[in-house]
Amino acid sequence: MEPYLNSWLLRDDRPPVIVLGNEKGGSGKSTVAIHLAMGLAAAGLRVGTVDLDGRQGTFSRFVENRKRYAPTDQEAARLVFTEHRQISLPHSEMDPEAVDEKLAQLVTALESLGDRHFIVVDTPGSDNVLARAAHVLADTLITPLNSSFLDLDALVRVDNDASQISGPSAYSELVLFMSERRADMGAPPIDWLIITNRLPNVPTRVHRSVMVILRKLSERLGFHFLPSIHERVIFRELFLKGLTVLDSAELGPAAATAGSAREEVEALVDAILVRSSWKELAARRAEAKSNPRRGDPSKPAISFENWDPSRR
Ligand SMILES: Nc1ncnc2c1ncn2[C@@H]1O[C@H](COP(=O)(O)OP(=O)(O)OP(=O)(O)O)[C@@H](O)[C@H]1O
Ligand SMILES: [Mg+2]
């Protein structure tokens, strides 16, 4: 399965791939993916989007809702759209041919989006072959996290009174593993970014404790922080219409309450424009090429077989 992904990863002229990932379900991957993608498009950029969560298909349903909201060319012209693709899971992950076929479809989808400024990929909240492939392909990985110990558990094991970190979780190990495999083959490692989502409007003791641990962890696991997003009802209200908090002109009376949410999304988009642009990726690639890691040449460049999920 490796050649499919390698051929894409080592292409010099491809756009940055931004993956939303977290094995913990419901952390806000799709909400952030939708708002980031629409925000980049609203900034005048060509954006490709890929939905790998075939079961829920949240991003794809958002796209359908948006098209239904603006069915005529004239109405659609008021909105921004992305070029969207959806890949479903293979009928069996045990069938190598079926898996290979899906990985080939994924790379074909990415190649069809090769002229975009950014590709944003939404993944399911569970470990499967497409989610793992997405993590290999992630030039930037954004992990949304709610500020609770339950969500923190997706990254790291913490002891009962939250005073000691006892080790990384299976998900953190997966990210570090995939990042190393990328580096072994001369691609830049994953730039791992955490976004705290659904931040409580009144700071709680749990939130403060979680942030203390996250800050300690950022050095150990090598991630950085994106500007946070607060818990806001408006993020839940617009999905059925296929709108985002950025579509101010369409929101009617809700526009009045969307202002703060819009500012948060704009801060996220700005941070990604600075950190994850094509130019930044080109610099990271040049660095990876000029400082090749001395990996084990007998080891395949990317191998999911080496990743042992039974360790969880
Ligand atoms: N900042 C926010 N404020 C309020 N509600 C939010 C916010 N972010 C996400 N939500 C809500 O939380 C729920 C889960 O969000 P979402 O579907 O984006 O998570 P997910 O990580 O994609 O989930 P899954 O793992 O199932 O794919 C949804 O109902 C969404 O509307
Ligand atoms: Mg989702």
Side-chain angles (χ1 to χ4, degrees), residues 29-31 53 56 58 122-125:
K29 293 176 292 295
S30 301
T31 303
D53 190 357
Q56 293 199 74
T58 309
D122 192 18
T123 67

Side-chain angles (χ1 to χ4, degrees), residues 215-270:
R215 279 191 205 100
K216 274 193 210 158
L217 261 187
S218 69
E219 273 181 34
R220 261 199 242 180
L221 294 179
F223 59 71
H224 295 88
F225 291 97
L226 283 167
S228 304
I229 294 184
H230 278 82
E231 167 76 34
R232 297 181 195 282
V233 178
I234 188 125
F235 281 114
R236 292 198 291 269
E237 285 179 342
L238 303 174
F239 176 78
L240 286 180
K241 284 189 174 165
L243 295 176
T244 73
V245 300
L246 301 172
D247 295 311
S248 312
E250 312 296 319
L251 299 185
T257 55
S260 311
R262 193 175 59 240
E263 281 169 21
E264 289 184 337
V265 173
E266 284 168 353
L268 164 67
V269 171
D270 286 348

Side-chain angles (χ1 to χ4, degrees), residues 74-180:
Q74 202 183 2
E75 285 163 304
R78 298 204 306 263
L79 302 176
V80 291
F81 285 87
T82 65
E83 189 71 32
H84 186 68
R85 308 280 182 268
Q86 181 174 25
I87 315 279
S88 59
L89 267 177
H91 61 81
S92 162
E93 293 198 41
M94 296 296 149
D95 176 351
E97 272 183 27
V99 168
D100 274 5
E101 191 191 321
K102 287 295 167 181
L103 293 176
Q105 273 179 24
L106 171 56
V107 172
T108 303
L110 293 175
E111 279 174 351
S112 73
L113 301 171
D115 67 335
R116 306 275 110 185
H117 293 107
F118 285 98
I119 299 177
V120 177
V121 180
D122 192 18
T123 67
S126 57
D127 178 34
N128 65 40
V129 68
L130 286 180
R132 267 173 273 157
H135 285 75
V136 172
L137 297 168
D139 300 304
T140 298
L141 170 65
I142 302 180
T143 299
L145 210 70
N146 298 352
S147 60
S148 76
F149 287 118
L150 199 145
D151 278 59
L152 194 60
D153 199 59
L155 285 190
V156 75
R157 304 274 173 256
V158 183
D159 69 358
N160 287 20
D161 63 359
S163 59
Q164 290 281 333
I165 296 168
S166 55
S169 66
Y171 181 67
S172 293
E173 284 187 13
L174 171 83
V175 175
L176 300 181
F177 178 86
M178 294 309 185
S179 191
E180 276 187 26

